[in-house]
Amino acid sequence: MALVRATLPLGIVVRRTPGVTRWAKWSWKVVAVLPGAGAADWRELRREGEAVEYHAATLPLTLWSSDTEAYQVALGSRVPGVTVVLAEADDLNATMPFVPTLVTASAYEGQDHLDSGDGLVELVPMPEGLIAWVRDFVDEHHVEEPFIKRKRDRKRIDLVEDGKGDPRVRQMSDVYRAPRTLTGGEV
């Protein structure tokens, strides 16, 4: 079966609000995605007092026919969402502290990034149109794989083999014993 993919550009909307502690001047949060958005580089969308929303970037959301199970998990959650990953900027003189690097609809890939703790990782609710697009892709390409239970081997594990050790090692006594010093005659 050939691997099929579909791609849709998603704009990443990031909100900057004043920090609540003296150690963090700003608080950053990914708040939305814009399906079909054009290119952007931290373009200001809206300002309310000190809170500012930016269209940080537009990244491709790519769906793969091999990952439809993960998309089903994401769609089946209480609030279907995509995971957005923003890496910390390497350049100390950068105007913005983050660089958008990835957007995924895979619940499994999103969990991997959440577990890593690198950068800023947010689960963002999918707009209705995006939910429909992902669901149509899953409906068209998902193939249910039957669960195959692993069979246990018939080896007996209840036998006692005290002192046997590794049969490849030739010695007169138990291989699990503590070694003696050279003065005792053995190593």
Side-chain angles (χ1 to χ4, degrees), residues 55 106 150 169 173:
H55 180 181
S106 168
R150 177 181 67 89
V169 178
S173 63

Side-chain angles (χ1 to χ4, degrees), residues 35-104:
D41 185 20
W42 292 96
R43 187 173 55 128
E44 188 174 318
L45 296 176
R46 179 172 49 188
R47 182 179 293 266
E48 294 177 14
E50 291 188 64
V52 182
E53 287 188 356
Y54 297 96
H55 180 181
T58 298
L59 299 174
L61 172 63
T62 303
L63 302 181
W64 298 90
S65 59
S66 59
D67 295 339
T68 55
E69 179 185 351
Y71 306 143
Q72 282 182 326
V73 171
L75 291 171
S77 64
R78 188 172 50 88
V79 178
V82 293
T83 303
V84 179
V85 179
L86 279 68
E88 292 183 18
D90 293 333
D91 185 9
L92 295 176
N93 297 325
T95 57
M96 298 299 175
F98 296 103
V99 177
T101 57
L102 175 77
V103 62
T104 181

